[in-house]
Amino acid sequence: MIRIRSERPAEADAIRSVNLAAFPARGEADLVDRLRRDGDAMISLVAVADGELVGHVLVTPVTSEPPDPENPGAAVAPIAVRPPYQGRGIGARLMLAALEVCRDHGIRWLLVLGPPAFLSRFGFRPAVDLGVADNWNGGRAFQALELRPGALAGETRLVHYAPAFRDLVPMQNKTA
């Protein structure tokens, strides 16, 4: 049985291990550590199977130009699942739990950079279609979701992820 819950303070090493196992390079694991260290880990959820931490999702703040403090947004990244547990719906369960917690926290819109086929099942669509621009050429893989209908209506905005993203993860030409 898989259980999704909030990260506990003593689980930083186990979360790092999940990210190291799930991705081909250490960039995502370093990113999570840095986001936590910088105070930019808003929501951190884990998947646990038989007492073992097997998955993780992190939600971080974003800023936008023009600024809109009454309309907060966030980014989901990364989502990681240990390889032996991939393909079992754990990533989807982590995403659904993250969406629910974000709604509960008053976050009105979310961004993610990832495969459109996976993300569309949660309601994400190309961010450009909602008037959101990025500065790393994410193309159609740069996706957005309004958690509150109309949250992204109005003027076009340029978003900025937390500084750790700029420093640790090359965000060029991610068009999966």
Side-chain angles (χ1 to χ4, degrees):
M1 172 177 228
I2 304 296
R3 206 171 108 231
I4 308 295
R5 61 168 172 74
S6 293
E7 168 188 346
R8 295 179 181 153
E11 294 176 322
D13 289 341
I15 289 169
R16 181 171 179 79
S17 177
V18 166
N19 280 285
L20 287 170
F23 295 102
R26 60 182 272 177
E28 282 81 0
D30 290 346
L31 174 65
V32 170
D33 290 346
R34 166 98 186 267
L35 288 162
R36 187 182 291 112
R37 195 171 50 248
D38 291 352
D40 287 327
M42 292 172 61
I43 297 166
S44 183
L45 304 175
V46 295
V48 179
D50 301 320
E52 179 186 4
L53 201 145
V54 300
H56 176 247
V57 62
L58 188 65
V59 178
T60 61
V62 296
T63 57
S64 65
E65 294 175 32
D68 190 357
E70 301 301 315
N71 189 22
V76 179
I79 298 177
V81 177
R82 287 188 183 280
Y85 292 88
Q86 291 175 2
R88 298 184 188 183
I90 296 171
R93 289 188 56 196
L94 283 164
M95 177 63 87
L96 289 170
L99 296 178
E100 182 178 329
V101 173
C102 285
R103 282 185 187 99
D104 291 346
H105 280 77
I107 296 169
R108 296 182 179 185
W109 49 275
L110 284 173
L111 302 172
V112 67
L113 186 65
F118 173 74
L119 296 169
S120 66
R121 70 174 110 163
F122 306 104
F124 283 92
R125 47 192 242 214
V128 68
D129 294 351
L130 292 168
V132 179
D134 65 309
N135 56 4
W136 55 80
N137 302 317
R140 305 296 282 177
F142 180 55
Q143 302 272 306
L145 171 67
E146 292 178 313
L147 296 174
R148 177 177 283 178
L152 292 172
E155 59 191 310
T156 299
R157 68 193 78 216
L158 174 65
V159 294
H160 301 283
Y161 278 49
F165 283 91
R166 205 174 36 245
D167 297 340
L168 294 174
V169 178
M171 297 289 227
Q172 294 298 320
N173 300 316
K174 300 264 183 168
T175 56

